[in-house]
Amino acid sequence: METLQRLYPIGIQTFSKIREGNYLYIDKTEYIYQMTHSASSYVFLSRPRRFGKSLLTSTLHSYFSGRKDLFQGLAMERLEKEWIEYPVLHFDMSTAKHVDKEQLLQELNLKLSEHESVYGKGEEEINPNQRLMGLIKRAYEQTGRQVVVLIDEYDAPLLDVVHEKENLGVLRNIMRNFYSPLKACDPYLKYVFLTGITKFSQLSIFSELNNIKNISMDEPYAAICGITEDEMLTQMKEDMERLAAKLNISSEEVLLKLKENYDGYHFTYPSPDIYNPFSLLNAFADGKFGSYWFGSGTPTYLIKMLEKFGVEPSEVGGKTAAVEDFDAPTETMSSITPLLYQSGYITIKGYDSELGLYTLDIPNKEVRVGLMRSLLPYYVSTPTEKTNTMVAYLSRDIRNDDMDSALRRLQTFLSTIPYCDNTRYEGHYQQMFYIIFSLLGSFVDVEVRTPRGRVDVVLRTKTTLYVMELKLDKTAGEAMEQINLKNYPERFALCGLPVVKVAINFDSERCTIGDWMIEK
């Protein structure tokens, strides 16, 4: 095994920097060749944040700039014969987040000035669209070659204001105006590539640009961003071995853990298994399974939208939908599904071709636990660290097969929480249990379901399978009857672990667990 420390490009989104600095690069250049030699020269790709969209855009920049030296040893080297240098106008809109009208215009001014310092500026060009049009024409005239326009995170200025009607309209008009020359300048353009998280409607931003090809769900490009399991097993084999050695577990176990935590994304169907690249690289760099993607920013607009659409934590995953219900413009959405899908909180898990329906669910443990952590304060009004500590202790009791202590701990914890008024309705306590038990997922295997009216939880430790039933204002005995009725022990006989039945009654008067029964 090599002794040199492997360099992981964490937070580096510039292709030339990665190649020149000898950082790990997962070769995506075959997809790039395919994409730039397809029928369409106007292409749009949407992927969740931290999925490598900026690196992809930067790779296109190097490719169209004719930087053959950077592609040595990559698929592109054997595919591309000509290496023509085209003028490239690259706009990174991610710097224009959380802006108002004035700030957005200043950002655009800054970006345009940068290119104008190379290609000059016409005196009569004042508005962003006139300046962009002038730039494209001059770049074409000065170089004698058609121009490549790359727009990274085209929707960044709009994402924060999706839920603010007036503001969205104002900023959307500025962006529409800025993008409008892309249609008029067609003869001067070689290739136009846009990335973003969400799909805004044709109507709103690209009213003129009707020739744009959205490849987000096209099978040939399923793995253009993110890291596939094949890529990981071939191009990151040493990284996996190093991680296994560090954690003192087998390579098989490392693969299982990486899969459980960071895999599970599919942007079309069928699709290879895709890992979140940001989380994967961080896990290899740190030598541990952390919660990276979530830690890099919890979008407040997501929480606002869950509230707006009245979506409970337990309702985030497990959906069935037609493609127009999730691959849909977020600004006209009538449910939260498009936002959850495009932001990467749910992903495609199956497809019924007869009905034309997709199954959507939370991709993996990292997203599930991260999401529940950020929703927790809305259901349990104690400091988050206190709850996290309680969850950690709770999991230890359960792993030590001391369910009685675990429930006593939970009972004490719940009775110290200052409650809000809406706890009398069953949904609130259900969601609270749903979140607390989902958070146990960091420590044990857990499955929580909340059909209306009750909660059932299945917890699996190394030695025991617990099946739990929760009732509201009944008795533990009635909850136990429910477990026996459902024939749980038979259903789980296959897993080979002894099944322990746990029946719990929640007392809404005292706002905590009333009584419970445990039967082996």
Side-chain angles (χ1 to χ4, degrees), residues 79-204:
L79 296 166
E80 183 55 71
K81 300 289 175 265
E82 298 180 315
W83 294 102
I84 297 168
E85 183 185 344
Y86 295 94
V88 179
L89 301 177
H90 186 164
F91 297 94
D92 173 9
M93 301 308 300
S94 69
T95 57
K97 286 179 181 148
H98 316 291
V99 292
D100 59 20
K101 182 183 171 177
E102 293 311 308
Q103 293 165 311
L104 181 55
L105 288 167
Q106 283 167 4
E107 278 289 332
L108 293 177
N109 174 43
L110 208 66
K111 293 175 195 310
L112 289 161
S113 306
E114 226 171 284
H115 293 295
E116 285 163 346
S117 65
V118 181
Y119 299 109
K121 174 180 186 295
E123 272 175 42
E124 66 292 350
E125 297 162 12
I126 297 156
N127 297 334
N129 59 331
Q130 298 164 337
R131 292 169 64 188
L132 180 58
M133 193 172 231
L135 268 171
I136 292 171
K137 287 182 177 169
R138 277 191 302 281
Y140 174 72
E141 284 154 11
Q142 290 169 25
T143 60
R145 298 234 164 90
Q146 285 179 305
V147 181
V148 173
V149 177
L150 306 174
I151 297 173
D152 191 15
E153 296 205 40
Y154 86 99
D155 54 349
L158 305 173
L159 270 185
D160 306 307
V161 293
V162 167
H163 50 276
E164 301 170 23
K165 278 283 180 284
E166 327 56 270
N167 230 342
L168 178 63
V170 174
L171 300 189
R172 200 166 49 192
N173 282 340
I174 296 174
M175 294 316 295
R176 183 195 297 169
N177 173 280
F178 176 62
Y179 296 136
S180 62
L182 296 178
K183 170 85 177 197
C185 292
D186 186 61
Y188 310 104
L189 292 170
K190 163 79 181 161
Y191 200 77
V192 174
F193 180 71
L194 302 114
T195 76
I197 292 180
T198 54
K199 179 180 169 182
F200 277 80
S201 58
Q202 291 299 103
L203 225 129
S204 72

Side-chain angles (χ1 to χ4, degrees), residues 408-436:
R408 198 165 296 122
R409 186 185 300 282
L410 194 54
Q411 184 182 45
T412 310
F413 173 76
L414 293 173
S415 60
T416 62
I417 292 176
Y419 265 88
C420 36
D421 299 333
N422 61 351
T423 51
R424 282 304 157 81
Y425 92 104
E426 236 169 296
H428 185 90
Y429 95 90
Q430 284 186 1
Q431 294 304 321
M432 188 178 63
F433 272 102
Y434 183 84
I435 292 172
I436 289 173

